[in-house]
Structure formats: C-alpha cells, structure tokens
Amino acid sequence: MTDTEMKVDPQRAAALVSQIKTVRERITAVAKGRDVRLVAVSKLKPANDILALVQQASPPQLHFGENYAQELGQKAELLPRSIHWHMIGGLQSGHCKNLAKIPNLWCVSSVDTEKKAQLLDKYRGEFISSFSTSSPSPSPSPSPSPSTPAPEKLNIHIQINTSGEPSKSGCAPGAATISLCRFVEAAPNLHLLGLMTIGAIARSVATTPENENEDFVCLREQRDLVQKELGLERELELSMGMSEDFEGAVAMGSNEVRVGSTIFGARPLKSEAKIRE
C-alpha cells in the first residue's frame, strides 16, 4: 500500500491538525521569535495519523520521531519521501545498518557510543556511494533510480545522561561527551547537529517557563563546553523538551522539542499497535 491508497479518517485528521496547531502556538508563545523544530513523536501510532498531518496540517508537518528502528523502517516505506524521520529511541548497534540506509532518515538523536557512531558512518557511506556508482549496491535495497536524489550525511544528536540515572541511556557529561562529539565531527558521513537529553521525570513535571530544569541547564553547559573544546564556529543544537516540559525547554533555549501524546493522544500497548489502519 502507498500513501495515495492509505485512508485518512476526516474526524481523526481534524483532531490531529487542531492538536498540533495548539502545540505550535504554545511553542511560539515562549520562543521569542526563534525557529524551534517540532518533532511529532508518532511511536506506536499508525501511518495514517502521520499522513494526515503531512497532508492537512498548515504548514505540513514533516518532522516525525520514532522510538523503534523496525517501526521507523516500515513506516518510511509506506509514507512520502518528503518526511524527515528522526530515530529518537534507544539505539542498538544491530539496527545501525538498516537505519543508515533509509534515504530520508534525517537525524539519529540517540547516539551515545563511538561504536554506534562508527557503524552509522560506515553504512551511511556505503549507501551514499551506491548512488554515485553504476555497480550494484551491496545492500539488499533496490538500486536507486536516476531521478532519486542521493542521500545526505546523517545528522547526529549525541545523547547525554544529564540526570546521572543508571536506567537512562546517554554519554556521561564531560570528557566522554567531548570525545564522542569529536569523533562524530570528524566522521565523513555524519554531521554533528547537537546534543540531546531525556531528563529525570520528576524534573520534567516540575518544569515551567519560569522554573529552570537542571537537566536542561546541564545540556546547555555541555553544548558550550563541546563548542569550546572542538573550536566550533557554528552553534550546536539543543534537543530537549517533551510533552510534559517543552515550553520550559524552549524558554531555556531548546532548538528542538519532541512531542507525542499531546498531539496523538494515549498510545496503545506495543503488542496492539498497528503500522497502518
């Protein structure tokens, strides 16, 4: 099934468009004129919902985040190439090859080890090379047609464990973060876009535009440290803020927020989720 054949329920579409409009307005209210990217987190939601926001939101919503590599791959095959996909969930080394060969994967936001960065760089490089050579691609993917635009470098957010919780993924602040950022900055097929955090839940709940979140303060400090240590002239992004705390994150300088349930509503159990309806 292609996106032209996929059905979009008019009532569901209207609700989604209304909800994302409200989120955009809430971001604008605290952004002080800055352009803040909204990633709509569509984890465990059907492709029909995503298509509704691509087709009917004004302007179209094109940045979508997924937590599971397999689900992202399946949806990317069904939906328009104009979508910019973000892998925001825990990244496993075994998924790097398939992820890197999704043409419109725009960003991997959960890179926390050099090994994972190395694999993404290797396989993205192979994928890019397959577009510039007439020899058969080593991947199982079909050969690109001449009209298909070549994939670009993968944008990377380094995930930082700002709260220090053992249950959380992410690089430790300080030397480990600097080292990993240095590796990604030098990788030929990756682009160091910025830093990302998923902070402590208690801190998220307590966050308001007036009440600074310690995790966000830490991420901002790490960003400044990395820029100084790597001698970067450009400013790295801060990807911080989710449904519970995105307004506070934007007020503290976030360049990207990841909002799911506030747009899509409660998620089903993973065992009951459908890729499409």
Side-chain angles (χ1 to χ4, degrees):
M1 173 175 282
T2 65
D3 61 279
T4 55
E5 300 168 322
M6 195 179 301
K7 294 180 180 178
V8 173
D9 177 77
Q11 286 187 317
R12 174 63 173 163
L16 290 169
V17 168
S18 174
Q19 282 146 208
I20 204 163
K21 181 174 182 287
T22 299
V23 170
R24 288 171 172 176
E25 289 170 349
R26 289 169 63 186
I27 291 170
T28 300
V30 290
K32 297 180 179 178
R34 292 188 304 111
D35 185 18
V36 178
R37 183 184 311 112
L38 170 60
V39 177
V41 181
S42 43
K43 170 179 81 170
L44 303 179
K45 290 295 182 175
N48 311 64
D49 280 3
I50 298 169
L51 187 62
L53 289 172
V54 172
Q55 293 180 337
Q56 299 187 34
S58 181
Q61 177 65 28
L62 295 178
H63 288 270
F64 290 90
E66 292 288 341
N67 286 61
Y68 306 114
Q70 184 177 4
E71 183 178 357
L72 192 160
Q74 290 174 314
K75 288 177 177 176
E77 288 183 6
L78 287 172
L79 289 161
R81 185 65 62 86
S82 59
I83 290 174
H84 300 316
W85 293 104
H86 296 241
M87 176 62 188
I88 63 173
L91 181 64
Q92 297 179 27
S93 297
H95 291 148
C96 289
K97 182 175 183 177
N98 289 339
L99 279 171
K101 297 190 177 186
I102 295 172
N104 53 331
L105 178 65
W106 195 81
C107 184
V108 180
S109 288
S110 46
V111 174
D112 57 0
T113 69
E114 188 173 311
K115 178 184 178 183
K116 294 170 188 176
Q118 201 167 25
L119 289 169
L120 288 170
D121 181 55
K122 173 187 175 183
Y123 292 120
R124 191 64 166 193
E126 289 181 1
F127 190 45
I128 292 172
S129 295
S130 72
F131 279 73
S132 58
T133 178
S134 57
S135 60
S137 169
S139 76
S141 306
S143 298
S145 68
S147 61
T148 304
E152 299 177 344
K153 288 183 178 185
L154 264 182
N155 289 313
I156 300 293
H157 285 142
I158 302 299
Q159 183 174 352
I160 314 298
N161 186 352
T162 53
S163 62
E165 296 170 278
S167 60
K168 287 265 171 49
S169 299
C171 230
T177 290
I178 294 168
S179 176
L180 182 52
C181 286
R182 198 183 301 278
F183 178 87
V184 172
E185 178 68 8
N189 304 296
L190 305 179
H191 171 65
L192 179 61
L193 189 61
L195 308 182
M196 184 272 273
T197 188
I198 301 172
I201 293 175
R203 292 174 182 173
S204 293
V205 172
T207 300
T208 66
E210 298 77 31
N211 178 28
E212 291 195 337
N213 181 310
E214 294 172 55
D215 291 306
F216 300 162
V217 172
C218 179
L219 195 70
R220 195 167 57 188
E221 291 172 347
Q222 290 301 298
R223 187 269 311 274
D224 295 345
L225 177 64
V226 168
Q227 287 179 179
K228 179 182 176 182
E229 291 295 322
L230 271 61
L232 300 179
E233 295 185 359
R234 69 184 189 278
E235 183 170 280
L236 296 176
E237 283 190 357
L238 298 172
S239 177
M240 56 191 195
M242 299 186 290
S243 285
E244 298 82 5
D245 56 15
F246 69 86
E247 286 157 306
V250 171
M252 291 184 63
S254 181
N255 305 100
E256 173 185 279
V257 294
R258 307 173 303 278
V259 181
S261 56
T262 304
I263 297 169
F264 292 100
R267 296 186 183 93
L269 295 173
K270 190 176 180 182
S271 60
E272 297 174 358
K274 298 176 181 177
I275 294 297
R276 65 170 182 82
E277 290 181 341

